[in-house]
Amino acid sequence: QNDGLQAQQKSTDLNTGEVDHNIDEMRILARRQYLASREQLKLQVLQQELVFLEKDVEKYGWEQLTQKERDEITLKRELVALVQQREDAGKHGFKFQDDYIDENGSIDLNRKQQLLKRKPAQNGEKESRQKLWEDQQMKNAVRAASGAEEIYVEGSQGYDFVFDDEAMIEFTEDSNEDVLPEEHSEYDNKLLTELERENKRLLTIQETRKSLPVYHFRQELLTSIKENQILIVVGETGSGKTTQLPQYLVEDGYTQRGRYQIACTQPRRVAATSVAARVADEMNVVLGKQVGYSIRFEDKTTPDTTILKYMTDGMLLREFMTDPELSKYACIMIDEAHERTLATDVLLGLLKDILPHRKDLKLIISSATMNATKFSSFFYDAPIFNVPGRRFPVDIHYTLQPEANYLNAAVTTIFQIHTTQALPGDILVFLTGQEEIEAAQQSLEDIAHALGDKIKDMVIAPIYANLPQEQQSKIFQKTPQDCRKIVLATNIAETSLTIDGIKYVVDPGFVKENSYVPSTGMSQLLTVPCSRASVDQRAGRAGRVGPGKCFRIFTKWSYFHELEPLPKPEILRTNLSQVVLLLLSLGVTDLINFPLLDKPSIPALSKALENLYILGALNSKGVITRLGRMMCEFPCEPDFGKVIHTAATHESCKGALEEVVTIVAMLHETASIFVHARAERDQNKTAVVGKVSSDHMLYLRTFNSWRDMDYSKSWCFDHKVQYKTMVRVRNIRDQLWRCCDKLGLAALNEKAMKSLNVDENLEPRIIKSFIAGFPTNVARLSPTGYRTLGKSQGGVNVSIHPTSTVFQAARQDMKKPSKLILYQRLVLTSKEFMRDCMPVPREDWLQEMVPHYFNGDN
Ligand code: ADP
Ligand code: MG
């Protein structure tokens, strides 16, 4: 009788007027209402599950089932019957919680008032009500007894508590005719508004789900998946592949009530987190429970609960290390396969290997409309399922002549569109990265401010990989009336994220891409022209809601003559060390014959082996060493693993582990540590910690100052440091530290710290650790400036990036520049820049730390 008691309490409160007018409570109530209406959907799932279970019964016979399975089936049968009964009751004019909510989700206030004041139910009606309620209780009891938590109709409990109007009335009617005195109507109104909002949202979500192109092929897709181990699904961006397919698999019972998981990989972190949030919403569960995500340094899943996991392709790759058969998965969906990231390509190879042993594992490869046949032939001519999408025509406009400054041209174009084209119609602009996006946002705001009332309002919504998660949702929010949304995006919006309402695309046609030259061993992030396939995809984003327009900030000639037809797969343009190390650790020794869609060149492979040998991850026979295995354990590049390992173990470094781990963690987030990426930054930095000799030391001092202030938010604010980033760094640091702990490095370090006076020569220890990990990232001062130390090639001219503290120190103090500089990254903009620099004060440290590399001829 628990529910009755609660109801009584509630009404007493109403009588004494002690109702908590707390908005949170209303949210809870609204949530319950929402859950109750979700029941219908849950029923469908339940019914489907039951169909499968009944098949089991048919196949094996009741007697062959375990008691637990029998209980479960009995319970589900009862549940389905119960909900069916409720529905029937509804058909006979007896309605439940939604009496006062019509089919459109609007609320009839008078009706609600009437209902609340209604006399006790008629006898017949009451009886059936009573029976239903008892059934409900029985169901609860059975549930409690069988302990099978996963199978109850969510929300039904909450429903009885809040919306069992009759129950409420029965308790109060005798004593007080006027159950809801007038003074409560405000509360009631607020509640109803909340309810209305929740309901509208629910309806919109469900309608959107049903309106997606894949919905019409739901059954066909499920049948194809059932009949084939591997299926390639091709469809226009926005057709619902990413958000819907995994849900269909869940609904079809592939997780076997939580025994298995379904994974969906994404090339980008932002896509993984944002899609997971959306799907959790659609399934009406809390993100991180049944639906979660896993990206590097952030695992938002719950063991034994999560059944659907969105993750980066890199994370799934790492899972092969602990579970080479991927035994906990029933289905794997490799999404955005056309992106051809390194991790996706290697995953496909590994999956091709294990599929023959894991006959029950389903593999879905989903891709935008390019290149699907290549996947099919790689997987023994696996079938291709085409989801016909709708796409409205998009008018393409080119510039008449090449634009020297595409950023300015883009900003001008945005205002041209905004001032000449009617509303509604949002604009999507493709830029290459955070800095460019911030710059564009700044000039848009400045100009809009100057124009004032002369133009309509605009909302600017940036989206890029490092954008804090709370701000990401801005791109999905509905544009207010009489206003235009301008989304400034990296190529994450090319296919990974679907943004509704876009009518105009502005595309300068550039992308930031990793580029690696094996002969020099140099890796750099370059801004390069996109492929034709990419710019066509981008243009397509304008045609989702209706006919659209795409403004390309390059010439038609350039489109036909200068752009490559397809993007170059990452495996052909990146440093392969990490992947080679991973494959070796998985026991794949025949790298040449490992199945890959595109084979990397032999020089690229041998360079990777050479790098790994220099780091000590392989011995001279090419066999992985213990150190190599340790480096794999770290959730970061092998070079960083080596730095950390050195700081704990090397005679002239040990004792510096804590500091080195901090620096490594900070180096993972350098893009967004300091507020305002541009001009102001330079002053900020030194304001934080005073003079430092290198960017590495700057990062260390920044973190430690923050730590000493008890990780305070206001410290960050005062010092123009981004609090959210620092929280992430702290989290990365914790994870790296746990890894050090597990590998015994933390203990070694502790021992060293006891016997040494580490503080005295801390900085040399740090520098030496980094030399050990990045021996190939050293530049030497020559008469013409810095040159990298290329072993045989003689090196390349490079400069210190102006944002580096090393650059500023040299300028301000007129100090003699350091002869040797260790850098973390090379970036080519106006010239070749070294970022995150650290002077190496003594040349013999190079020989000391990496003797087999610096053997004198450099
Ligand atoms: P596909 O993977 O085929 O490109 P998606 O499954 O990503 O398609 O998108 C399907 C629909 O879901 C889109 O119409 C989009 O509007 C909606 N959607 C996806 N993510 C979100 C989100 N985070 N917020 C709101 N709507 C979203
Ligand atoms: Mg998608």
Side-chain angles (χ1 to χ4, degrees):
Q1 294 292 313
N2 225 349
D3 287 2
L5 274 177
Q6 282 174 324
Q8 184 178 27
Q9 221 155 25
K10 179 86 200 157
S11 51
T12 315
D13 283 348
L14 283 174
N15 285 329
T16 54
E18 281 172 13
V19 173
D20 186 5
H21 285 225
N22 182 327
I23 195 84
D24 278 334
E25 193 191 358
M26 285 195 273
R27 287 240 166 75
I28 294 169
L29 294 175
R31 194 79 191 158
R32 293 223 168 115
Q33 155 75 16
Y34 174 50
L35 288 174
S37 49
R38 285 286 302 191
E39 203 164 309
Q40 196 49 41
L41 222 99
K42 294 270 151 82
L43 175 66
Q44 282 173 12
V45 177
L46 199 64
Q47 275 168 336
Q48 271 162 11
E49 276 181 14
L50 193 60
V51 169
F52 278 94
L53 289 173
E54 297 288 9
K55 277 196 190 138
D56 278 355
V57 177
E58 229 170 77
K59 198 158 139 202
Y60 302 109
W62 186 252
E63 295 310 317
Q64 294 301 314
L65 302 176
T66 63
Q67 189 55 42
K68 192 162 177 250
E69 282 167 328
R70 281 187 223 160
D71 285 349
E72 191 184 321
I73 293 172
T74 315
L75 179 59
K76 286 197 174 166
R77 283 175 181 163
E78 278 165 3
L79 282 178
V80 170
L82 175 75
V83 189
Q84 196 59 53
Q85 214 173 353
R86 286 186 167 209
E87 266 205 335
D88 293 347
K91 277 187 203 121
H92 295 111
F94 184 84
K95 286 198 178 175
F96 294 101
Q97 77 277 15
D98 43 3
D99 275 16
Y100 45 89
I101 300 174
D102 69 19
E103 278 155 24
N104 305 319
S106 335
I107 293 171
D108 183 345
L109 253 183
N110 293 333
R111 176 91 182 107
K112 155 114 199 199
Q113 295 281 349
Q114 274 170 23
L115 275 170
L116 288 178
K117 291 179 186 171
R118 195 163 63 177
K119 293 266 179 262
Q122 298 302 305
N123 265 352
E125 193 180 65
K126 193 170 170 187
E127 198 179 281
S128 65
R129 184 85 184 115
Q130 188 77 28
K131 180 162 184 328
L132 286 173
W133 191 77
E134 278 165 14
D135 284 349
Q136 169 92 33
Q137 292 308 302
M138 187 194 71
K139 183 193 84 185
N140 290 348
V142 177
R143 183 199 314 148
S146 74
E149 277 164 28
E150 67 266 39
I151 37 167
Y152 80 98
V153 179
E154 222 178 316
S156 43
Q157 236 183 343
Y159 155 72
D160 270 322
F161 162 40
V162 182
F163 290 100
D164 197 340
D165 296 334
E166 281 82 6
M168 272 170 67
I169 303 248
E170 268 182 277
F171 283 112
T172 56
E173 190 114 283
D174 295 340
S175 55
N176 188 347
E177 250 314 295
D178 213 2
V179 184
L180 269 184
E182 279 312 298
E183 60 262 36
H184 289 300
S185 65
E186 194 195 336
Y187 168 79
D188 211 36
N189 275 341
K190 266 197 203 159
L191 171 60
L192 289 184
T193 325
E194 283 282 313
L195 287 183
E196 192 169 20
R197 199 175 305 148
E198 232 1 86
N199 261 291
K200 281 259 165 68
R201 206 179 70 89
L202 163 75
L203 278 170
T204 331
I205 284 185
Q206 290 319 322
E207 270 161 23
T208 312
R209 279 197 73 184
K210 285 191 184 152
S211 70
L212 292 172
V214 286
Y215 180 77
H216 305 287
F217 300 91
R218 184 178 182 282
Q219 203 45 53
E220 276 172 70
L221 275 162
L222 286 173
T223 311
S224 298
I225 291 165
K226 182 168 267 170
E227 286 167 0
N228 299 283
Q229 191 178 13
I230 308 167
L231 185 70
I232 293 146
V233 179
V234 176
E236 204 62 68
T237 301
S239 52
K241 301 180 296 297
T242 312
T243 53
Q244 306 306 305
L245 282 181
Q247 289 190 71
Y248 295 167
L249 295 169
V250 172
E251 290 161 8
D252 210 16
Y254 277 97
T255 60
Q256 299 194 14
R257 302 172 292 289
R259 221 175 295 168
Y260 293 105
Q261 295 186 14
I262 290 166
C264 176
T265 68
Q266 294 291 319
R268 295 191 176 79
R269 299 159 55 106
V270 187
T273 55
S274 129
V275 169
R278 167 71 180 182
V279 172
D281 228 11
E282 288 187 7
M283 287 173 65
N284 190 35
V285 296
V286 178
L287 179 61
K289 295 282 193 236
Q290 283 86 347
V291 180
Y293 64 79
S294 165
I295 60 180
R296 194 163 65 142
F297 299 125
E298 199 183 341
D299 182 14
K300 211 168 169 60
T301 62
T302 312
D304 296 329
T305 304
T306 302
I307 47 171
L308 174 50
K309 179 156 89 176
Y310 286 89
M311 63 207 301
T312 47
D313 43 13
M315 288 307 286
L316 187 59
L317 204 48
R318 287 188 67 84
E319 287 197 8
F320 272 92
M321 292 196 334
T322 46
D323 180 9
E325 301 268 283
L326 298 182
S327 53
K328 63 180 178 194
Y329 296 105
C331 312
I332 307 256
M333 172 160 158
I334 305 289
D335 200 5
E336 303 285 317
H338 64 271
E339 288 255 352
R340 300 289 311 279
T341 59
L342 178 61
T344 288
D345 276 12
V346 176
L347 268 179
L348 292 177
L350 288 169
L351 284 164
K352 190 171 177 177
D353 244 21
I354 65 164
L355 284 175
H357 324 294
R358 286 257 355 241
K359 284 280 179 233
D360 54 331
L361 177 68
K362 299 287 186 187
L363 174 64
I364 297 166
I365 297 166
S366 97
S367 152
T369 40
M370 31 181 161
N371 243 341
T373 45
K374 191 156 182 167
F375 298 116
S376 171
S377 44
F378 182 71
F379 281 109
Y380 324 102
D381 295 323
I384 301 177
F385 195 114
N386 259 298
V387 180
R390 49 176 172 215
R391 178 150 154 187
F392 296 94
V394 175
D395 271 346
I396 312 260
H397 303 264
Y398 296 90
T399 54
L400 291 176
Q401 64 250 0
E403 290 290 335
N405 186 334
Y406 66 76
L407 202 56
N408 282 349
V411 170
T412 314
T413 312
I414 293 166
F415 276 102
Q416 270 171 13
I417 299 170
H418 187 48
T419 49
T420 60
Q421 306 288 309
L423 286 170
D426 297 337
I427 308 177
L428 172 61
V429 189
F430 285 98
L431 298 171
T432 65
Q434 180 179 356
E435 293 201 357
E436 229 173 68
I437 288 176
E438 284 174 350
Q441 176 161 13
Q442 191 64 55
S443 36
L444 285 172
E445 279 166 1
D446 291 349
I447 298 173
H449 185 75
L451 290 172
D453 290 348
K454 292 192 201 93
I455 54 165
K456 293 245 164 81
D457 281 346
M458 45 197 227
V459 217
I460 301 171
I463 179 92
Y464 47 83
N466 277 320
L467 188 72
Q469 217 177 329
E470 332 60 78
Q471 287 171 42
Q472 289 168 16
S473 56
K474 201 170 168 188
I475 60 165
F476 295 112
Q477 274 158 21
K478 209 167 177 286
T479 314
Q481 269 214 329
D482 238 18
C483 180
R484 200 187 297 276
K485 179 161 70 185
I486 296 167
V487 181
L488 306 175
T490 57
N491 69 337
I492 180 136
E494 196 173 293
T495 59
S496 298
L497 289 183
T498 315
I499 307 160
D500 293 327
I502 300 293
K503 208 165 161 186
Y504 306 98
V505 163
V506 177
D507 182 14
F510 285 99
V511 66
K512 228 181 232 163
E513 224 179 55
N514 203 36
S515 142
Y516 179 72
V517 186
S519 61
T520 59
M522 275 179 28
S523 200
Q524 31 177 235
L525 214 50
L526 297 180
T527 300
V528 296
C530 305
S531 64
R532 269 203 292 280
S534 288
V535 294
D536 287 344
Q537 276 294 335
R538 291 176 172 191
R541 299 303 116 253
R544 246 177 65 75
V545 277
K549 288 184 185 162
C550 172
F551 297 88
R552 290 183 172 156
I553 307 189
F554 47 91
T555 60
K556 195 166 185 172
W557 190 88
S558 169
Y559 175 81
F560 285 105
H561 298 94
E562 288 180 335
L563 301 189
E564 298 285 340
L566 286 169
K568 197 169 177 184
E570 192 181 4
I571 199 162
L572 302 182
R573 52 175 172 82
T574 194
N575 182 342
L576 298 171
S577 301
Q578 189 171 14
V579 156
V580 166
L581 187 61
L582 180 82
L583 288 176
L584 290 173
S585 80
L586 293 174
V588 178
T589 45
D590 186 2
L591 295 170
I592 309 270
N593 288 314
F594 180 74
L596 285 169
L597 282 155
D598 282 286
K599 302 253 174 194
S601 67
I602 302 287
L605 276 177
S606 26
K607 188 71 189 178
L609 292 169
E610 186 192 326
N611 277 343
L612 292 170
Y613 170 70
I614 294 172
L615 291 177
L618 305 181
N619 63 20
S620 55
K621 295 195 188 75
V623 176
I624 189 164
T625 59
R626 249 190 57 170
L627 171 59
R629 288 194 187 279
M630 260 193 206
M631 281 152 70
C632 275
E633 293 271 327
F634 283 100
C636 51
E637 278 82 54
D639 335 48
F640 281 126
K642 170 77 176 192
V643 173
I644 293 173
H645 183 264
T646 310
T649 57
H650 194 281
E651 206 42 52
S652 50
C653 301
K654 62 189 183 184
L657 183 64
E658 297 209 21
E659 288 76 14
V660 161
V661 169
T662 303
I663 297 172
V664 169
M666 288 287 271
L667 285 171
H668 277 89
E669 294 283 343
T670 49
S672 47
I673 291 171
F674 298 100
V675 179
H676 296 309
R678 308 215 127 213
E680 269 181 62
R681 178 158 68 180
D682 312 342
Q683 279 112 44
N684 292 337
K685 281 185 176 174
T686 34
V688 176
V689 290
K691 287 218 170 80
V692 282
S693 55
S694 65
D695 293 317
H696 297 65
M697 291 309 283
L698 170 81
Y699 294 137
L700 176 62
R701 294 248 195 107
T702 306
F703 186 88
N704 285 351
S705 310
W706 180 56
R707 183 198 57 196
D708 295 345
M709 294 312 289
D710 221 3
Y711 306 108
S712 120
K713 201 169 184 169
S714 54
W715 182 89
C716 287
F717 189 76
D718 292 344
H719 292 85
K720 295 227 165 68
V721 168
Q722 300 215 41
Y723 177 69
K724 293 254 159 59
T725 312
M726 294 302 283
V727 172
R728 279 205 301 277
V729 170
R730 188 178 168 195
N731 177 25
I732 296 175
R733 193 187 180 284
D734 287 348
Q735 287 193 39
L736 292 174
W737 191 257
R738 273 202 294 279
C739 205
C740 291
D741 229 3
K742 203 173 102 193
L743 298 174
L745 298 178
L748 277 178
N749 187 62
E750 188 130 336
K751 226 166 91 194
M753 280 173 70
K754 282 203 188 109
S755 59
L756 290 165
N757 187 358
V758 182
D759 279 353
E760 246 173 36
N761 47 9
L762 181 65
E763 202 169 331
R765 286 169 190 274
I766 293 174
I767 299 175
K768 285 180 182 179
S769 305
F770 274 89
I771 295 174
F774 294 93
T776 52
N777 288 15
V778 179
R780 186 200 305 273
L781 193 61
S782 75
T784 55
Y786 284 103
R787 277 178 84 77
T788 58
L789 303 181
K791 230 184 168 180
S792 44
Q793 308 290 318
V796 180
N797 281 330
V798 290
S799 313
I800 301 174
H801 198 274
T803 57
S804 169
T805 46
V806 180
F807 180 89
Q808 285 143 34
R811 172 160 291 188
Q812 284 160 11
D813 308 344
M814 295 304 195
K815 267 208 331 224
K816 251 177 70 187
S818 166
K819 254 181 78 181
L820 293 166
I821 295 269
L822 183 146
Y823 59 84
Q824 296 299 139
R825 289 181 296 145
L826 283 184
V827 184
L828 180 73
T829 47
S830 54
K831 49 185 168 175
E832 201 86 60
F833 283 117
M834 302 183 274
R835 297 203 79 155
D836 296 323
C837 303
M838 169 191 258
V840 177
R842 285 177 46 183
E843 179 138 13
D844 58 349
W845 288 2
L846 301 180
Q847 279 96 22
E848 180 191 346
M849 295 311 299
V850 203
H852 49 293
Y853 182 62
F854 294 107
N855 50 9
D857 62 1
N858 271 307

